[in-house]
Amino acid sequence: MTGRLDHAARRVARALATTACTIGLVLLASPAAHAEPSGGPSGGPPPSPFPDANLILRYYDLVRYDDYFTDSVGGVWFSTPLGLNCGIWDRGSFGCTGDIRGAPPGTNNIGWITGQIEPRYDPALAVQFPPGRAQRDLPPHSYIEYNGTRCATMADSSTFCSHGPFKFYVTPTQTWLGPP
């Protein structure tokens, strides 16, 4: 009787193993198992529109910030190829005035003021900006650093400014603010 029980137990174990393998193969081959996650083309988050900070540091020319001081107000001030008047002032606050491409109609200011939770564009920024006027251009492929903020003029005339996670990017056609 013991031999029959051993034989029956082996048959049951073999049947269970076969069933488990079959279920596993069905699950692996099912379309749901191969579904692409949402996000970018590779399944991850969409790519960032912002320039790579390491690229700027490696391949762009750092200008001397003391060449960009003005007699009228504190901070450094520069103009961009897109015609923006930009500055970096107290504690790293930064911003630009002018034609902010892709922003809501009537928007002339973009920036981040120390203590704010994100950069923004709105008319109230005009009151918070110092009355600085640029006396020099920030040439394409160059950047300036002052009070922990970095601003760069890109090859396509775009302007990118950042202070830690706070940043904006004004291109000839669009504008992005970060963090989202």
Side-chain angles (χ1 to χ4, degrees):
M1 188 70 92
T2 308
R4 283 188 178 169
L5 286 176
D6 286 340
H7 181 68
R10 279 192 293 249
R11 285 180 58 200
V12 168
R14 215 176 295 136
L16 288 174
T18 303
T19 302
C21 287
T22 303
I23 290 172
L25 287 173
V26 168
L27 289 176
L28 286 174
S30 72
H34 295 288
E36 291 291 324
S38 61
S42 65
S48 170
F50 297 104
D52 180 355
N54 291 323
L55 175 109
I56 292 169
L57 291 173
R58 268 189 295 226
Y59 299 108
Y60 282 41
D61 296 323
L62 174 63
V63 299
R64 293 171 31 109
Y65 65 80
D66 51 349
D67 290 341
Y68 289 82
F69 288 131
T70 67
D71 295 332
S72 61
V73 68
V76 297
W77 295 87
F78 58 92
S79 58
T80 73
L82 292 177
L84 301 175
N85 179 62
C86 300
I88 305 170
W89 57 94
D90 294 336
R91 298 179 298 184
S93 298
F94 61 93
C96 296
T97 61
D99 181 12
I100 311 300
R101 316 294 169 87
T107 299
N108 295 326
N109 299 289
I110 188 170
W112 174 77
I113 308 296
T114 303
Q116 293 178 342
I117 59 172
E118 62 187 9
R120 66 185 205 275
Y121 36 68
D122 65 40
L125 281 173
V127 182
Q128 296 177 300
F129 280 15
R133 291 294 312 159
Q135 295 174 342
R136 296 185 71 167
D137 291 340
L138 185 62
H141 272 159
S142 64
Y143 70 99
I144 188 168
E145 289 184 333
Y146 183 70
N147 283 344
T149 295
R150 178 182 306 130
C151 289
T153 300
M154 315 306 285
D156 68 350
S157 302
S158 299
T159 302
F160 173 66
C161 289
S162 67
H163 184 98
F166 308 107
K167 54 192 165 190
F168 66 70
Y169 185 37
V170 181
T171 72
T173 58
Q174 289 184 287
T175 298
W176 288 274
L177 299 167

